[in-house]
């Protein structure tokens, strides 16, 4: 079962990918993780990626696709895999197709921008132990203080209102068109991402079962 999870930043892709990965016993592969892994392993394509990252530049599509191709050819992907956060653009999706990498289901987690904004701007993170909270969904016992270690909670730069809005704008311009791309192939399924995590997971497993 080869799957892609699409959705805006904060839509819950990572959470659902982890649940499906455990349920189906297939790896969940995120772009950030495989880039870091390839760099750490010192593979030829990993070293290419490192040269761009060290220079503060975006890693080009052909390097990203090469790293994905390298990763999905590993034995643990024989029974399938989940791509989370890639492809991000139509050219990346087309490059995957040309590489012979096809998908059984592309699941788009649908969440309104206002909900995303509330989710992300409400996050508070502990810089000391990494614990994560939310001002309404999962507030700390004492406002602004980590329940785990007592350190003062912070707002990550990624969760600042301006950053969240900028990332949403990029998502709508570059990544959302992928829905039409995969709809033409008959593999796209839409799932409400603003419902309870367990309900969203049940719906995802249902559409996967139809493949």
């Amino acid at each position: 079962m080869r799957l892609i999870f699409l959705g805006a930043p904060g839509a819950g892709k990572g959470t659902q990918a982890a649940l499906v990965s455990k349920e189906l016993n297939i790896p969940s592969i995120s772009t950030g993780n495989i880039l870091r892994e390839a760099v750490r392993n010192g593979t030829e394509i990993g070293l290419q990626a490192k040269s761009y990252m060290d220079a503060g530049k975006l890693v080009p599509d052909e390097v990203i696709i090469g790293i994905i191709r390298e990763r999905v050819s590993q034995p643990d992907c024989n029974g399938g895999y989940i791509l989370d956060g890639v492809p991000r653009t139509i050219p990346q999706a087309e490059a995957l197709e040309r590489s012979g990498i096809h998908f059984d289901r592309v699941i788009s987690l649908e969440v309104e921008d206002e909900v995303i904004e509330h989710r992300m701007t409400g996050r508070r993170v502990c810089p000391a132990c990494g614990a994560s909270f939310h001002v309404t969904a999962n507030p700390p016992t004492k406002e602004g203080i980590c329940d785990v270690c007592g350190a003062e909670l912070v707002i990550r730069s990624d969760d600042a209102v301006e950053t969240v809005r900028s990332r949403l704008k990029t998502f709508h311009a570059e990544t959302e068109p992928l829905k039409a791309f995969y709809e033409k192939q008959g593999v796209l399924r839409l799932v409400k991402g603003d419902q309870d995590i367990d309900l969203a997971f049940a719906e995802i497993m249902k559409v996967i079962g139809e493949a």
Side-chain angles (χ1 to χ4, degrees):
M1 184 60 66
R2 292 157 303 182
L3 309 167
I4 294 175
F5 276 79
L6 292 180
K13 298 185 299 296
T15 300
Q16 292 299 338
L19 291 171
V20 174
S21 167
K22 189 177 177 186
E23 181 73 16
L24 298 181
N25 196 27
I26 57 176
S28 175
I29 301 166
S30 79
T31 324
N33 287 348
I34 58 169
L35 274 173
R36 285 188 289 273
E37 189 182 319
V39 168
R40 197 168 54 245
N41 292 341
T43 65
E44 185 183 335
I45 206 145
L47 293 173
Q48 279 182 48
K50 187 176 187 298
S51 67
Y52 288 99
M53 290 156 79
D54 287 349
K57 295 177 180 173
L58 283 175
V59 180
D61 283 356
E62 62 268 22
V63 177
I64 296 271
I65 301 305
I67 286 174
I68 292 167
R69 203 165 51 227
E70 201 174 70
R71 178 66 185 86
V72 301
S73 67
Q74 291 174 19
D76 65 334
C77 291
N78 288 347
Y81 48 84
I82 302 162
L83 291 189
D84 166 17
V86 66
R88 286 185 190 276
T89 62
I90 297 283
Q92 285 185 359
E94 290 172 341
L96 286 172
E97 293 287 316
R98 286 195 300 273
S99 297
I101 298 172
H102 307 289
F103 299 93
D104 301 298
R105 279 283 174 268
V106 174
I107 294 156
S108 176
L109 288 169
E110 302 288 300
V111 185
E112 295 289 332
D113 283 7
E114 307 84 75
V115 176
I116 294 278
E117 205 171 299
H118 173 72
R119 272 186 188 178
M120 295 181 76
T121 57
R123 283 200 292 214
R124 300 292 181 270
V125 179
C126 177
C129 73
S132 184
F133 300 87
H134 191 279
V135 291
T136 55
N138 177 34
T141 308
K142 187 177 178 185
E143 189 178 340
I145 301 297
C146 176
D147 285 355
V148 181
C149 71
E152 195 169 330
L153 299 174
V154 299
I155 301 172
R156 296 186 322 168
S157 57
D158 271 5
D159 295 335
V161 176
E162 304 75 26
T163 311
V164 171
R165 286 178 182 166
S166 173
R167 291 176 71 196
L168 283 168
K169 191 175 176 184
T170 302
F171 167 76
H172 291 307
E174 296 182 3
T175 306
E176 201 159 34
L178 287 168
K179 285 158 65 174
F181 180 86
Y182 287 114
E183 189 169 28
K184 281 181 190 166
Q185 297 182 13
V187 293
L188 180 75
R189 296 294 182 273
L190 308 182
V191 171
K192 279 181 64 181
D194 57 355
Q195 58 185 322
D196 179 84
I197 289 172
D198 292 338
L199 293 175
F201 173 63
E203 200 175 322
I204 288 166
M205 291 309 298
K206 185 182 173 190
V207 299
I208 288 172
E210 294 164 0

